[in-house]
Amino acid sequence: EIRRESRRILESVTMEVAVAARALRRTAEALALLDARLAAARLALGYGGSAIAIADPGEGPSLDLKDLRHPLLALARKPGDGAVVSNDVALGGRSARILIVSGPNAGGKTVLMKAVGMAAQMARAGLLVAAAPSSRVAFLDAVLTDIGDKQSVLGDLSTFSGHLGNLVRILGASRSGATLVLLDELMAGTNPDQGAALARATAESLAERPALAVITTHYDSLKALGEGDDRFANAGMEYDLEHLQPTFRLILGAPGRSYAFDIASRMGMPAEVLDRARDLAGGSSVSLETVIARLEAREAALAQEANRLADATAEATATAEAQRTAAEALERRERELGRHAREAVEAAVADAREALRVIVREAQAANTSRAAEAARAAVTRAGDEAKARLAPPAEEEPAPRPAAPKLEPGSRVFVERLGKDGVLAQAPDSRGRAKVTVGAMTVEVAADDLRPARGAGAPRPRTTTTRRSAADEAPSPGADDPLALVSPSGGHTLDVRGHDGDEAIAALEAYLDRAALSGQNHIIVVHGHGTGALRKRVRAYLDDSPYVARWAAGTPRQGGDGASVIELR
């Protein structure tokens, strides 16, 4: 009974499975595909793979691999190991279709060639490639290789005959379709002269086919192909002679040296053996090694020069950007100053008009000849004041220029442009430029700007062109205070009445800049009484300004609390 019941249950379940068999098979296939994709993604994380572009089949076979790495080396890297050496390889398209790679033994030629083949196969299989995302690979029909030793005692194959059998099949299979051919040490294992001839003939035959190829070799005849035929390109594996070890970096554009004599010499091979070996090698082989060595030295020099040029270009770009920024700032400053100047003119015109209206109104109310005469005089005064506010300061008659000082290093001189004494640090050069130390600063000035120091009895040059009346120069009741020595009618007065706070501060800041550069010691800012808001804003700015040593409210003659008298540092 138990067996019968078990059979019944199994038959029932089997029928249910049979009904859903097709869906179950599709589910199993989908799960297998997802599992494969997940495994590929996990593997790609291990070797740092990228999703690269697949070239259009109509463009023909081509490879453009950036930062190519061998995925097995990347997977074998342990924490603390250095990064896997990457190289750029391009075949087809605008590049040559056949790459001839030469260089020392154990220099990385075969590893590079295998990395190229694996990249093509991984892209064909839908795997991420161990290269930069900017790489590009054509969808190739096949990757044909002859790598390693095919000798066999049972198969009656020597090293050379084993390679030949492979090559015959490769030449037949590469006649059509997009293929990649990888040939390691082409035609090695036989007579060097005959092997070199066979290798060159094989390479030229491949160049006639629609195939891409990477060929590693030590034959000079193959290296020569890369210099005289556009279908071929030379590349060499770099070798560090100082430390006697390969760097595994591919150097495009020049064949690699075998370094056999150099390595043997550094490893202690007797000199007489090396000399004899060079004689036996023949002049052409040694000469080619010498030419390659010169090319490598020139390449290194060009790389250093390119680095210096890149640094100089970056510095020039930064300088140009700084100059552009400074020019823009200067232009903004000029526009701001022009705006303030226009607003000052408009304010002066408005004040003059208001004064004229008041005078006319008072004269009409009085209606007497004396009032008319007084109004006429008042109009004249208002016009003079308006012209004085709008006109630029009059130029004073130039004072006789004192004799030029004796310009010897160490002598004291007066710098007209700065209005300060200094010590001559360097006599004028052929351009008439001298260096003068003024305080803690050394500046370069024209020799024509130098005069005898004021301590030597020479008259002090005027540093401003402002007009001062005799009354302005007279001491005021507060003459003991240096702030009281400045008159509001002089040229060192800034009137900000009628401006809002931001405009007044901008005008004051620009005025302080010019005053400090021209060597002024005191200025007066007229802000008026009003509500007191503008006065507070101006004086708060003066408290924080680096130009201001101290300030005080004006005397009654200077405008009282409607003006602030400033002593500059």
Side-chain angles (χ1 to χ4, degrees):
E1 290 178 358
I2 291 173
R3 284 196 299 272
R4 284 196 298 272
E5 183 63 18
S6 297
R7 182 177 182 84
R8 186 190 65 77
I9 293 172
L10 289 175
E11 288 176 351
S12 175
V13 173
T14 301
M15 292 187 64
E16 292 179 5
V17 170
V19 172
R22 182 174 299 177
L24 288 174
R25 290 193 184 97
R26 288 199 302 267
T27 301
E29 291 171 358
L31 287 173
L33 180 62
L34 288 174
D35 188 50
R37 288 290 177 262
L38 182 59
R42 287 175 174 167
L43 183 65
L45 289 175
Y47 59 75
S50 302
I52 66 175
I54 302 299
D56 187 345
E59 298 176 1
S62 64
L63 297 172
D64 187 7
L65 299 168
K66 307 291 186 184
D67 292 331
L68 174 66
R69 304 173 303 281
H70 195 297
L72 296 183
L73 292 179
L75 287 171
R77 187 173 61 89
K78 298 178 182 178
D81 294 346
V84 177
V85 177
S86 62
N87 289 293
D88 296 345
V89 179
L91 295 173
R94 297 182 180 180
S95 304
R97 290 190 294 108
I98 299 180
L99 185 66
I100 307 295
V101 183
S102 51
N105 291 320
K109 300 188 297 295
T110 304
V111 173
L112 173 76
M113 182 169 57
K114 289 182 177 180
V116 174
M118 292 185 73
Q121 292 285 55
M122 293 170 77
R124 176 185 171 90
L127 298 175
L128 301 187
V129 178
S134 57
S135 301
R136 187 179 179 87
V137 175
F139 190 86
L140 301 172
D141 296 328
V143 177
L144 310 175
T145 68
D146 180 50
I147 301 175
D149 196 345
K150 301 300 181 182
Q151 64 176 318
S152 170
V153 175
L154 296 178
D156 195 21
L157 290 175
S158 68
T159 298
F160 181 65
S161 59
H163 284 297
L164 279 180
N166 255 353
L167 289 173
V168 170
R169 287 189 292 272
I170 289 172
L171 290 176
S174 61
R175 292 185 180 280
S176 62
T179 59
L180 173 64
V181 178
L182 306 177
L183 304 178
D184 190 26
E185 301 294 349
L186 179 61
M187 295 299 174
T190 188
N191 177 279
D193 294 333
Q194 296 178 7
L198 280 170
R200 176 161 183 164
T202 302
E204 290 176 345
S205 178
L206 280 175
E208 300 294 334
R209 291 164 165 75
L212 308 176
V214 179
I215 301 174
T216 67
T217 186
H218 288 282
Y219 289 142
D220 292 342
S221 59
L222 283 183
K223 298 177 185 179
L225 273 177
E227 300 300 323
D229 192 329
D230 292 340
R231 298 173 299 177
F232 298 86
N234 266 323
M237 303 305 296
E238 187 181 52
Y239 192 82
D240 185 353
L241 266 178
E242 181 178 355
H243 300 94
L244 290 177
Q245 61 184 14
T247 65
F248 307 114
R249 297 191 182 281
L250 184 69
I251 307 300
L252 297 172
R257 298 169 58 194
S258 296
Y259 291 97
F261 294 146
D262 301 277
I263 296 173
S265 175
R266 288 178 178 264
M267 294 298 292
M269 182 68 72
E272 61 272 14
V273 176
L274 289 173
D275 293 340
R276 179 59 178 159
R278 289 190 178 94
D279 293 339
L280 294 174
S284 60
S285 176
V286 175
S287 297
L288 180 59
E289 290 278 316
T290 304
V291 170
I292 294 175
R294 289 176 181 171
L295 286 174
E296 290 175 348
R298 184 176 300 175
E299 184 76 17
L302 288 175
Q304 292 179 355
E305 189 64 28
N307 291 335
R308 287 195 294 269
L309 180 60
D311 293 341
T313 302
E315 184 178 353
T317 301
T319 302
E321 180 64 20
Q323 292 177 347
R324 184 186 65 79
T325 303
E328 291 177 352
L330 180 60
E331 185 178 352
R332 288 195 301 269
R333 187 72 172 192
E334 289 177 348
R335 287 197 299 267
E336 184 180 349
L337 291 176
R339 179 173 62 83
H340 291 319
R342 288 193 302 272
E343 292 173 352
V345 169
E346 293 170 357
V349 171
D351 290 345
R353 287 176 176 170
E354 180 61 25
L356 290 175
R357 282 196 293 270
V358 172
I359 294 169
V360 171
R361 192 162 53 246
E362 291 176 351
Q364 289 174 344
N367 197 22
T368 63
S369 58
R370 179 175 295 178
E373 187 64 26
R376 189 180 301 110
V379 168
T380 302
R381 286 195 304 274
D384 292 341
E385 291 176 1
K387 285 191 290 184
R389 290 178 62 184
L390 296 177
E395 295 288 340
E396 292 185 350
E397 290 295 327
R401 297 178 68 88
K406 189 175 183 180
L407 300 179
E408 295 180 350
S411 60
R412 292 189 61 79
V413 294
F414 179 80
V415 185
E416 279 196 338
R417 181 164 61 87
L418 301 178
K420 296 182 180 295
D421 288 336
V423 177
L424 186 66
Q426 180 179 312
D429 55 17
S430 58
R431 299 178 294 118
R433 307 289 294 179
K435 291 186 177 179
V436 181
T437 300
V438 180
M441 177 177 60
T442 299
V443 295
E444 184 179 278
V445 297
D448 293 341
D449 287 341
L450 301 180
R451 294 291 171 262
R454 291 172 293 182
R460 180 173 178 174
R462 298 293 296 267
T463 59
T464 64
T465 58
T466 57
R467 292 179 297 178
R468 294 177 178 271
S469 65
D472 295 334
E473 298 295 339
S476 69
D480 292 338
D481 183 359
L483 298 182
L485 296 178
V486 185
S487 169
S489 61
H492 302 314
T493 300
L494 173 66
D495 192 344
V496 295
R497 290 175 295 181
H499 297 308
D500 63 26
D502 291 338
E503 294 174 345
I505 296 303
L508 178 56
E509 182 179 12
Y511 196 82
L512 287 173
D513 287 342
R514 295 194 299 272
L517 289 175
S518 62
Q520 296 180 21
N521 296 322
H522 300 82
I523 65 171
I524 295 178
V525 180
V526 180
H527 41 66
H529 296 278
T531 63
L534 183 58
R535 178 177 67 248
K536 290 180 182 178
R537 182 75 181 274
V538 168
R539 291 179 175 176
Y541 173 79
L542 296 178
D543 288 336
D544 297 331
S545 174
Y547 290 119
V548 178
R550 60 191 181 115
W551 62 269
T555 64
R557 186 171 65 86
Q558 294 169 327
D561 204 32
S564 296
V565 184
I566 303 166
E567 179 183 345
L568 301 181
R569 295 184 186 275

